[in-house]
Amino acid sequence: MNQRPVTDLSALPTFGHGPRSPTWWGTLGFMALEGTGFALAAGAYLYLAMSWPNWRLSAPEPNHWPGTILTLLLIASLVPNHILNRYAKHCAMVPVRIGMVVMSLFGLAPLVVRWFEFPALNIYWDTNAYGSMLWVLLGLHTTHLITDVGDTIVLTVLMFTRHGYSGRRFGDVGDNVFYWDFVVLTWIPIYLLIYWVPRLG
């Protein structure tokens, strides 16, 4: 009886980063769904804006400073976020732990600013169509911001436990970096729609 040759696969990695990880593709699909929601909300905003010549419907201009500060915080967070990603690819535990703590703080800081951003809109959600769209856009992004910050904090805690020594956790850190980029990039057009597009009209 001839024995079939057996290939030794024990040296292959048990986890992957980026497109080599199944969870990365799951994150990408999740982002595609959420991105569609943002696009629909932005489309509804633009449709209403083009339907009324005097868009804002006599409402006062929103105070752009809280939104601008939040935007600067999010853009600044991209630097440590990608440094963290580099260390995660090398499975460097101590720098990853430090990076996760830093990103948790960078996630919480915009939420504090967002608390002041809602009243700075100078309009309530039920005042008119303009106010409703502002609160929908800001509310959608806040939901995603809270979701990612919660995930980041949980992952940070895991990295300080015995579970953090699993190779898969470093892949999870990379997926978290990927999703945070999405949270930051989706905010830019929303920021422009809320604070600057009406000023151009």
Side-chain angles (χ1 to χ4, degrees):
M1 181 177 179
N2 294 329
Q3 291 185 347
R4 295 181 178 180
V6 177
T7 303
D8 184 8
L9 303 178
S10 60
L12 291 177
T14 58
F15 65 97
H17 293 277
R20 293 183 298 171
S21 169
T23 56
W24 184 91
W25 289 100
T27 303
L28 181 64
F30 192 52
M31 286 161 50
L33 290 172
E34 294 175 332
T36 302
F38 281 119
L40 289 172
Y45 177 94
L46 291 172
Y47 172 78
L48 291 173
M50 289 185 294
S51 298
W52 273 281
N54 182 25
W55 182 237
R56 286 210 322 266
L57 307 178
S58 302
E61 287 187 350
N63 180 359
H64 67 86
W65 281 113
T68 301
I69 293 170
L70 187 142
T71 302
L72 294 175
L73 280 172
L74 291 179
I75 293 173
S77 72
L78 292 175
V79 175
N81 195 45
H82 283 267
I83 293 174
L84 171 62
N85 190 45
R86 184 178 64 189
Y87 284 122
K89 288 180 178 179
H90 289 86
C91 300
M93 178 59 79
V94 174
V96 166
R97 284 175 171 173
I98 295 172
M100 289 301 295
V101 171
V102 169
M103 288 309 301
S104 294
L105 295 175
F106 261 112
L108 291 170
L111 286 176
V112 174
V113 179
R114 182 59 55 81
W115 180 265
F116 297 95
E117 189 177 6
F118 274 102
L121 295 176
N122 295 325
I123 194 171
Y124 291 105
W125 65 271
D126 59 348
T127 302
N128 54 33
Y130 168 73
S132 297
M133 287 310 309
L134 292 194
W135 280 72
V136 165
L137 288 169
L138 212 57
L140 273 175
H141 189 263
T142 303
T143 301
H144 292 84
L145 191 58
I146 292 172
T147 300
D148 189 80
V149 171
D151 181 66
T152 302
I153 292 174
V154 170
L155 191 53
T156 301
V157 172
L158 285 175
M159 295 307 294
F160 282 89
T161 67
R162 60 183 178 85
H163 300 287
Y165 289 93
S166 168
R168 285 188 57 191
R169 292 289 168 253
F170 293 102
D172 293 340
V173 171
D175 295 338
N176 188 264
V177 167
F178 186 37
Y179 188 78
W180 182 255
D181 285 347
F182 171 76
V183 171
V184 174
L185 293 176
T186 53
W187 168 244
I188 303 302
I190 294 174
Y191 169 72
L192 294 175
L193 281 176
I194 292 176
Y195 297 106
W196 299 108
V197 169
R199 286 177 165 87
L200 299 177

